[in-house]
Amino acid sequence: MNFWSDFAQKHPGAAKWIREGGLFFLFSNLVTVWQYLLIQFLPAAFSQYANVEWMWPGIPMSLLGADFTFNILGYSVKDGGLAYFIAYLIATFTAQCINFPLQRNITFRSHGAIPPQIAGYFVGWVGVTLVVNSINSIWVGVAGSLGVPNFLYNILTTVLTGGVSMVIFFVINKIIFPEGEAKQAG
């Protein structure tokens, strides 16, 4: 502990980044486990929608000999259809509902105004969802065509989602979670 105290005293900025980065990484990975469990098992709860193809923009593509449909939102029937997409949205949204207070209160020690922070975080989640779902439409389409087992591509989908989310959300959190007391209007 003396090493860390000495380091933090000599290099407060670096110590803050290391603490924030470590806690951010820890909490983000914990919610990634939650996401995986939901993505793995929740589509069964919406099985009546598994044969509903709901995607946008739905552009047919081919990669590595695999034919799939590129989309920003949704999944083809062979990739789980609307059931998988609903489960994906629930998994990522609830993970961020868990992650938000942990990151705000513990990692970044922010006491800023909560409504704009929630709004900023929500906008970040929507942006991350669009980016990651675009990447997932390619990955899931190729993996499904190559016969990758469901549990394995769900693990890789979760890791991809978590990894991209962590990078983007760390930047968002540094912006929306100022440390210290909220500024008083006046």
Side-chain angles (χ1 to χ4, degrees):
M1 279 312 237
N2 285 341
F3 168 76
W4 182 252
S5 296
D6 290 344
F7 180 81
Q9 205 168 25
K10 290 177 186 172
H11 308 285
K16 178 181 174 188
W17 274 86
I18 292 169
R19 184 190 66 75
E20 287 177 350
L23 288 171
F24 182 83
F25 185 76
L26 174 68
F27 293 145
S28 295
N29 280 295
L30 288 173
V31 299
T32 297
V33 172
W34 170 257
Q35 277 182 202
Y36 170 75
L37 292 172
L38 288 183
I39 287 173
Q40 181 63 34
F41 300 109
L42 196 56
F46 301 103
S47 60
Q48 70 269 27
Y49 301 114
N51 291 323
V52 175
E53 190 158 272
W54 188 86
M55 319 180 279
W56 179 82
I59 301 169
M61 296 182 81
S62 192
L63 180 67
L64 302 173
D67 295 326
F68 62 95
T69 305
F70 172 77
N71 50 69
I72 296 171
L73 293 172
Y75 289 94
S76 68
V77 168
K78 79 176 192 174
D79 298 328
L82 186 56
Y84 190 85
F85 185 59
I86 292 169
Y88 174 82
L89 288 177
I90 291 170
T92 59
F93 183 77
T94 59
Q96 295 316 317
C97 289
I98 296 166
N99 208 23
F100 176 86
L102 294 172
Q103 301 297 2
R104 179 186 185 275
N105 299 326
I106 298 171
T107 302
F108 295 99
R109 300 177 179 164
S110 180
H111 300 287
I114 292 176
Q117 288 177 340
I118 290 172
Y121 204 86
F122 180 78
V123 168
W125 173 73
V126 169
V128 166
T129 298
L130 296 175
V131 169
V132 170
N133 202 64
S134 298
I135 296 167
N136 281 345
S137 77
I138 297 167
W139 157 245
V140 170
V142 171
S145 294
L146 297 176
V148 175
N150 181 313
F151 80 93
L152 183 58
Y153 80 66
N154 281 339
I155 289 172
L156 294 172
T157 297
T158 303
V159 169
L160 173 69
T161 300
V164 172
S165 295
M166 278 196 301
V167 170
I168 295 170
F169 269 115
F170 189 80
V171 173
I172 290 169
N173 289 347
K174 288 297 285 180
I175 295 167
I176 68 171
F177 294 145
E179 193 170 332
E181 298 300 317
K183 292 180 182 174
Q184 300 296 321

